[in-house]
Amino acid sequence: CLSLFIVTCMTFHSVISDEEYVDDRIAGLGIDGAGAGGDRRERAKGKTPKKRLDGEVDLDDTYSGVRGAHDERFPPDDVERLKAFAQSLRTHHYQVADSSMPYDVNNCPLTPPEGYPRSWPTLDILDNWNPNDTADPHSHVVYQGICRFDAATEHDKALAYREAELPFVIRDDPVVLPTVERWNQPEYLPNILGHQRHFRTDMSSTNQLMFYRTGQNGGGHKTPKDWEEPTKEVPMSYVDWLDKANNPNPRELEPDRPHWYFRLNAKSKVHDRYLFEELPFFKPKQNFYMVDPTDARGINCRFGMRGNTAENHFDASRNFIALFGGERRYLLSHPRECKNLALYKMGHPSARHSEVDWSKPDLDSFPQFRQAKSHEVVLQAGDVLYLPTNYF
């Protein structure tokens, strides 16, 4: 996360198997990044789902009034105004690092180029821009290998890449832009979420946040000796999290200080909740962002603060990731890179994750990481990233 206030929401759905690249560490897991199917799995085992915090309850009584007042003031069908607003939030321009690229990421062809997406040695990308460096980028140069399509003029291209199961970014979709505008109004989310209501929030003692699953929380994974939970789940109100994210003391946002991920979730089986009204394109109905509505897993929103780093991992599902505010850098790798990314062993609570600290790779302990290849993209307000199954 590169800004003080970063908002991403994603939808998980429909696993696609790619046997050519899926080794036993991937094939043996089959879980999604935020446990969106967790209640379903526990019901199947005859267990009682874990009690929910307010992050998963219906707020419709409050929501309808706040939303109605906003839409009256800011008509959601004024596309030009919405595009101008989103563009005003994009304060940085990033250039592609490699001038020998065989395609222009901002003017890609309809047919995916051979070798798409271009990738580079991961160590070169990290040397160019360390993950712990969250100051305003001085070079504005990134190793971007995926295309960014304009929703108004290149929707057909985006559809072709999605059908080819290749990653890409689509920008300024008229169905996404109203949420960008709403969520960047200072009082909109506080008025919906309240000042006292608590939601699930992930806390880490550093800027590194890693998902885990143990036998105690329904995953069946064994806890290694001397292992400690990489994050803690704490109750927190939205305004309390916002105060932490906007802390004026830069020392409090450095990598060795505590960081928080504020969370909002909604399950696809109950798609009348307020989040599905805020993000109607993620409803489990056939549309560009829902390839297979019958296997939709729900919506997971993460509100990040400057410096938050979600440790490298894969999700065993298709992901569409929308960014509504701030900037977020994604370091991406094809599933074939699994052998080079040094994943934790199967059975480890964080088995979907790389064991390497990407801010300071230990190449003596993980020599295979020298061979890893990646590419990167910085998402800005109004961008939606598509990641196929098992992408890192």
Side-chain angles (χ1 to χ4, degrees), residues 203-220:
M203 184 195 75
S204 172
S205 60
T206 69
N207 68 327
Q208 298 177 336
L209 294 103
M210 182 183 294
F211 178 81
Y212 68 93
R213 187 183 297 276
T214 66
Q216 284 71 39
N217 65 10

Side-chain angles (χ1 to χ4, degrees), residues 75-85 152 172-175 177:
D77 56 354
D78 188 345
V79 176
E80 292 306 313
R81 187 198 75 246
L82 293 168
K83 288 179 65 173
F85 181 84
D172 287 341
D173 191 330
V175 302
L177 292 177

